[in-house]
Amino acid sequence: MRPKSFAGMRCSIAGALEVAGDKWTILLLRDLALGLHRYDDLRASIGIPTTTLATRLKNLEAHGLVERVRYQDRPPRDEYRLTDKGRDFWKVTTALREWGDRWDATGYGAPTMEVVDAETGCELRLALVDPRTGRAVPRERIRYQPGPGADDTVRALLDNINKGAAA
C-alpha cells in the first residue's frame, strides 16, 4: 500500500515529511552530515538496497538537499554533498538522536554517540532559544500561534489548543 501524500497540506511538518519522511532518507541525511559522500560508503553504512539508495538520493537531489559532484571522469563517478538546505537538516537528526538516547530507542542501554563542544568537551543539547536574549526557553513557556501562511483549519486547531492550555 502506498503511503498517503501530504502535498498541499498547510503544515510545515507534513511538507518536511513529504521530502524526508522515511527511515532511509533520514539515515542518509545523517550519514551525509557525518561526512560520507560516496554511493558505496552510504550503502554500506546503513545496509540500504541499491535501488532504494538510488531513489532516495534522486529525491534528495530533486528537493535541493543534495547535489551530485563529479570526482572522477573515467569511469564517471559522482559523490553526494549536502546543500545548505540539506545541512540545515542537522537539527532534525539531532532531535531524533536526543529522543532516542533519552528513551533508549536502540535497547542497548547507552547512547552510541555524544555531541560535545569542541573547545570545552561539554555535552551539548538541542534547545529553542530566544533570539533576543540567547537563552533557552523551557517547554512550559512555549505557545503556538498562527503564522502568515495559516488557514482557517490551522487557526481553529491553534484556538482549541490555546483554550485548553488556559483552562
Side-chain angles (χ1 to χ4, degrees), residues 1-54:
M1 178 184 280
R2 191 160 215 206
K4 177 186 178 348
S5 172
F6 296 125
M9 187 180 284
R10 282 190 183 252
C11 173
S12 295
I13 295 171
L17 288 171
E18 209 40 47
V19 174
D22 79 54
K23 60 187 176 185
W24 293 120
T25 301
I26 291 171
L27 292 176
L28 284 171
L29 288 165
R30 175 206 63 190
D31 283 359
L32 287 160
L34 291 173
L36 297 181
H37 302 290
R38 299 204 174 156
Y39 189 91
D40 288 338
D41 295 336
L42 292 165
R43 186 183 51 74
S45 175
I46 58 177
I48 186 172
T50 56
T51 54
T52 304
L53 175 57

Side-chain angles (χ1 to χ4, degrees), residues 145-163:
Q145 64 186 31
D151 62 4
D152 290 340
T153 303
V154 171
R155 289 178 196 287
L157 172 66
L158 294 175
D159 281 347
N160 284 336
I161 290 169
N162 291 329
K163 284 178 190 171

Side-chain angles (χ1 to χ4, degrees), residues 29 32 60-61 63-69 80-90:
L29 288 165
L32 287 160
L60 288 170
E61 189 175 12
H63 284 94
L65 281 83
V66 168
E67 63 185 349
R68 286 177 8 149
V69 177
Y80 300 87
R81 299 279 176 172
L82 291 172
T83 61
D84 287 342
K85 184 177 180 180
R87 278 188 294 280
D88 201 36
F89 199 80
W90 73 270

Side-chain angles (χ1 to χ4, degrees), residues 112-156:
T112 57
M113 183 184 302
E114 294 178 340
V115 177
V116 298
D117 184 310
E119 291 180 18
T120 67
C122 292
E123 177 188 4
L124 298 173
R125 286 190 216 128
L126 195 59
L128 291 176
V129 175
D130 181 327
R132 290 172 292 128
T133 65
R135 292 190 180 136
V137 177
R139 176 145 174 47
E140 305 80 51
R141 287 195 10 225
I142 295 170
R143 187 185 81 191
Y144 297 96
Q145 64 186 31
D151 62 4
D152 290 340
T153 303
V154 171
R155 289 178 196 287

Side-chain angles (χ1 to χ4, degrees), residues 95-111:
L96 285 169
R97 182 192 50 75
E98 286 184 8
W99 181 88
D101 288 350
R102 177 177 178 172
W103 298 104
D104 191 22
T106 64
Y108 289 109

